[in-house]
Amino acid sequence: MDKKRIVASLVVFLILAALFYLQYRHWQSFDWGTFWAQTHRINKFHVFHAIALIYIAYILRAVRWKIFLQPVRPHVKLMDLVSPTLIGFAGLALLGRAGEFIRPYLIARRTDLSFSSQLAVWAVERIFDVGAFTVLMVLAIFLPSALPAIPHPEYYVRFREGGFLLIGLVLLMAVGAIVIRRSGNAVAQWVELRFGHLSSNFGHKLAQKIREFGHGLDTIHGPLSLLMLSLVSVGMWYIIALAYQEVTHSYDVASLEIPVSQLLILMGASMLGSMLQLPAVGGGSQMATIAALSSVFDVPPEIAASCGILLWLVTFAAVVPLGLALSHHERLSLRKLSEESHHAEELEEEADAGGTPA
């Protein structure tokens, strides 16, 4: 681990420690006996069902990537993408941000494509993730029986504002994608000239990312492809919401009998919290989910803590056993893959910089 990652991990640890201390002071009457009792009483069938749903979501991720590859690798097999997907997410769970490039790196190797082309697909994939979640969130906001029926209706105004912000973000991303799709080189040149004075390399790197993103958009080969990608993305995130519901219902507690539409709040809190994550242990995702359960849904602290941890284990860490088994079967090292993927990115940036005229 280099110095930058050590410093970043230390900063995240200190922030999480401070948040944990504040939460502990807020819950000074926290009953560990109740926590362990509720954890042991969960319905295991619901938990296994949730894990199965999460694995289906990973398969849908592979299906989506196969659609992206249709123009250049129309005959690629789904199983050639499922394995890198599971190994990649296992690396992300165990290594944190250091493992985020493992999936596109492995797919590039399996399909004999350039790493930069798969990084571009990975970037475009983020747009579909945000867009699909926004579609579900907007439906929840405007359905009369959804978010307005939460235990604390006063939060509904904030969630509605957050929903409008998400809509604005998605529209902005869509407009930006259209502009880059049509005039990517012109946008990249303008960015390079506009920001090149900040540092010798910054403008060029930013312009190169825009060009790569434009190449990633080329994988959307027509309206039918766009429709299929959108449907798979929405379906995948709905399945993840169903997995959340299976976990919350496994406690057989009235305050956790939360409908799928309202569970989008927990999903959003988990995604925001994941910005503060430590490798292998998480932290931010669990804390944000626990806070949402306690403050929005009036779940007792002990049950909220247990449920928040279990949600993280099911939706984020459950992929680790199979991911490690696959990597062992294929004689792959997650740490080595992480190093190779980051090194490959650096080499491609250097090659591009060397080939760019002054």
Side-chain angles (χ1 to χ4, degrees), residues 51-167:
I51 293 173
L53 289 170
I54 289 299
Y55 272 97
I56 292 172
Y58 286 129
I59 293 173
L60 286 178
R61 284 190 180 275
V63 170
R64 185 171 62 180
W65 206 293
K66 179 175 169 58
I67 299 171
F68 280 125
L69 292 180
Q70 194 66 27
V72 291
R73 292 293 185 271
H75 302 300
V76 65
K77 296 179 181 179
L78 179 62
M79 289 309 299
D80 291 334
L81 301 175
V82 170
S83 177
T85 299
L86 296 175
I87 294 173
F89 275 98
L92 183 62
L94 292 172
L95 304 175
R97 297 304 175 192
E100 62 185 351
F101 292 156
I102 290 177
R103 182 164 54 116
Y105 178 71
L106 276 177
I107 292 175
R109 288 198 340 189
R110 296 283 172 85
T111 57
D112 196 26
L113 292 167
S114 68
F115 180 44
S116 61
S117 70
Q118 299 314 289
L119 276 180
V121 173
W122 178 80
V124 174
E125 188 188 48
R126 302 281 76 76
I127 290 182
F128 281 93
D129 281 337
V130 174
F133 181 77
T134 299
V135 168
L136 294 175
M137 195 66 168
V138 167
L139 289 175
I141 289 172
F142 292 105
L143 285 175
S145 60
L147 291 191
I150 59 177
H152 288 277
E154 64 271 16
Y155 283 111
Y156 173 69
V157 176
R158 300 180 189 177
F159 294 136
R160 186 176 59 185
E161 291 172 352
F164 287 131
L165 285 175
L166 272 176
I167 294 172

Side-chain angles (χ1 to χ4, degrees), residues 213-257:
F213 182 69
H215 293 320
L217 291 172
D218 291 337
T219 59
I220 305 173
H221 50 287
L224 181 60
S225 174
L226 178 62
L227 177 62
M228 290 174 63
L229 289 166
S230 301
L231 290 176
V232 170
S233 299
V234 172
M236 181 190 72
W237 280 101
Y238 183 73
I239 285 174
I240 294 173
L242 291 177
Y244 269 70
Q245 187 179 52
E246 287 295 320
V247 172
T248 56
H249 286 196
S250 70
Y251 285 84
D252 195 23
V253 174
S255 58
L256 285 176
E257 295 294 319

Side-chain angles (χ1 to χ4, degrees), residues 295-308:
S295 59
V296 178
F297 296 102
D298 284 339
V299 179
E302 298 83 3
I303 303 176
S306 176
C307 187

Side-chain angles (χ1 to χ4, degrees), residues 332-351:
L332 298 171
S333 164
L334 293 181
R335 193 168 295 279
K336 187 176 180 181
L337 285 172
S338 172
E339 293 171 356
E340 288 177 357
S341 64
H342 284 274
H343 183 57
E345 184 194 26
E346 292 169 1
L347 287 177
E348 292 196 3
E349 286 181 354
E350 290 173 4

